Structure formats: structure tokens, C-alpha cells
């Protein structure tokens, strides 16, 4: 089942269970973010991906140089483990983890969550790949992905039990656009997806095909 099919099914459930006024506000704020066209400033194919060193879910520092020394990267930015769309994407990628490994590619997920929160996300979704904490969105900012959550959504998120300050360890409400990159062993981006609409995600099969293309260059 494609990721889009899974997201479409979730959308049906959401519309049946979430009050109409909240759904409308989510739509309005998403449309506002789309109109700002932040993704135009995000890194694109052919750009050099920024070097980084970030802690994994157990606090160990992981550097891009050591990762790239082993082969290409599939790097997915997600908003947080509180986001159902992110969890669907994380699990869909996990289902293809072996296929990526067969192509000598390493799968990495990155969010602004604190390491303990990343560990919870990793365990709850039974992820077999590395999850990194980009606290304060330092890497996401270099990639041109960061936005501030519309203040109208803050009380709604609280009402839904979503505590972003607790997850991220700050009160900024800054989040990354959902984005997926395939980065070759030289650190150059060969596939890029970033969108202001958080319900839209890169299809894992398209990402895998981009990885396979690296091996046929």
C-alpha cells in the first residue's frame, strides 16, 4: 500500500472525528503557509547538503562525514512524533529499510525533538533506522525548511494534547517542513522533496528509485 493511500485513509478518519471548526482552521493555516512559498528557499537537487553532527535517540553524536563515508543517505525531516502524518511516513520508510540497505543507502530521520522524545518515536513506531535530534532546528534552518507554527493553532494543539514545547525543549514553536533528501556519497543532493502542506509526503518508492539511480550513474 502506498503512503498516499495510507494518508488518504487517515484523512477520512480525521474528518469523521475532528470538529469542523478545527479542520477549517487547519486548512486555513496550511493555505497561508503554502502561499508563503517557503519551499522555494529549501535546498534543491544539485545543492551541497550541509555538514552536520547531531545526537541520535540515545545521545550519541552522529556526523554526516562518518555517514557519507559508508554510502549515500536518505534523510527525512519530520515535524515530530506527535504528528500522525509523520508517523505514517516514518513507518512507510521503515517498511522499505531493507530495500534501501540493499542499495547501500542509509536511512536517517531528523526532527527538532529532544533525544528522549526521539527515542519514544523510534520505539513506538518500531523503527530499525537512526533517528536524530536537530534541537533548535539548526540543520533544518540551513536547509531552508523552518517555519513558525501559526499562533491560532497553539490552543488547538493543546486541546488535542500535543505539547510541542515539551517535545522540542523550547517555546519557539518552530518546525521543519516535511522534507526528504537523497544525498550521494559526495554530499550532493540527488532527490529533493519539501512541501508546506504537511499532509503531502515523498512516496518511499520514488525515493528508492532515486537511490537506485545513483547506482547506475
Amino acid at each position: 500500500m502506498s503512503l498516499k493511500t495510507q494518508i488518504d485513509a487517515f484523512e477520512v478518519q480525521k474528518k469523521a472525528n475532528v470538529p469542523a471548526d478545527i479542520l477549517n482552521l487547519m486548512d486555513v493555516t496550511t493555505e497561508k503557509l503554502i502561499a508563503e512559498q517557503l519551499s522555494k528557499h529549501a535546498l534543491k537537487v544539485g545543492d551541497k547538503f550541509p555538514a552536520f553532527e547531531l545526537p541520535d535517540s540515545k545521545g550519541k553524536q552522529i556526523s554526516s562525514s562518518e555517514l557519507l563515508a559508508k554510502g549515500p543517505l536518505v534523510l527525512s525531516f519530520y515535524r515530530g512524533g506527535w504528528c500522525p502524518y509523520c508517523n505514517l511516513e516514518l513507518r512507510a520508510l521503515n517498511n522499505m529499510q531493507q530495500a534501501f540497505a540493499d542499495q547501500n543507502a542509509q536511512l536517517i530521520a531528523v526532527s527538532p525533538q529532544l533525544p528522549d522524545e526521539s527515542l519514544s518515536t523510534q520505539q513506538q513506531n518500531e523503527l530499525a533506522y537512526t533517528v536524530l535530534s536537530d534541537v533548535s532546528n539548526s540543520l533544518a534552518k540551513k536547509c531552508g525548511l523552518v517555519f513558525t507554527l501559526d499562533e491560532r493553532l497553539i490552543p488547538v494543539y493543546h486541546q488535542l494534547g500535543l505539547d510541542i514545547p515539551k517535545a522540542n525543549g523550547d517555546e519557539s514553536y518552530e518546525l521543519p517542513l516535511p522534507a526528504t533528501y537523497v544525498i550521494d556519497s559526495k554530499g550532493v543532493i540527488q532527490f529533493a522533496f519539501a512541501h508546506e502542506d504537511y499532509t503531502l509526503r515523498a512516496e518511499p518508492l520514488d525515493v528508492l528509485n532515486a537511490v537506485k539511480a545513483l547506482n547506475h550513474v
Side-chain angles (χ1 to χ4, degrees), residues 49-192:
F49 197 82
F52 62 84
E53 184 170 324
L54 299 172
D56 66 12
S57 57
K58 295 181 180 179
K60 179 184 177 183
Q61 292 292 321
I62 305 294
S63 72
S64 54
S65 58
E66 65 180 292
L67 290 170
L68 290 170
K70 300 174 185 176
L73 296 181
V74 174
L75 193 148
S76 181
F77 285 93
Y78 69 102
R79 304 193 304 164
W82 49 266
C83 170
Y85 299 91
C86 294
N87 289 323
L88 286 171
E89 181 180 25
L90 291 170
R91 290 194 293 268
L93 288 169
N94 194 63
N95 289 338
M96 298 185 69
Q97 196 270 342
Q98 187 57 52
F100 287 120
D102 289 344
Q103 297 296 319
N104 197 38
Q106 304 158 91
L107 188 53
I108 305 288
V110 179
S111 85
Q113 294 184 133
L114 297 169
D116 281 352
E117 295 289 331
S118 294
L119 180 60
S120 295
T121 299
Q122 190 169 32
Q123 291 174 338
Q124 289 168 7
N125 290 293
E126 299 180 338
L127 304 180
Y129 54 87
T130 300
V131 179
L132 300 179
S133 290
D134 181 27
V135 178
S136 300
N137 287 287
S138 58
L139 177 59
K141 286 175 181 175
K142 293 177 183 178
C143 296
L145 298 172
V146 177
F147 71 99
T148 301
L149 186 72
D150 192 299
E151 62 183 13
R152 291 172 290 178
L153 286 172
I154 293 175
V156 172
Y157 276 35
H158 286 167
Q159 182 181 335
L160 295 173
L162 307 179
D163 193 341
I164 294 175
K166 178 179 180 292
N168 294 358
D170 65 46
E171 299 285 338
S172 70
Y173 284 94
E174 289 183 338
L175 298 170
L177 299 178
T180 303
Y181 294 101
V182 173
I183 307 160
D184 68 21
S185 56
K186 295 180 181 178
V188 177
I189 297 170
Q190 299 297 337
F191 172 94

Side-chain angles (χ1 to χ4, degrees), residues 38-44 77 143-145 176-181 191-197 200-202:
L38 296 180
S39 61
K40 282 192 171 182
H41 304 289
L43 293 182
K44 302 288 191 297
F77 285 93
C143 296
L145 298 172
L177 299 178
T180 303
Y181 294 101
F191 172 94
F193 176 96
H195 205 287
E196 294 84 357
D197 185 345
L200 301 179
R201 306 295 171 117

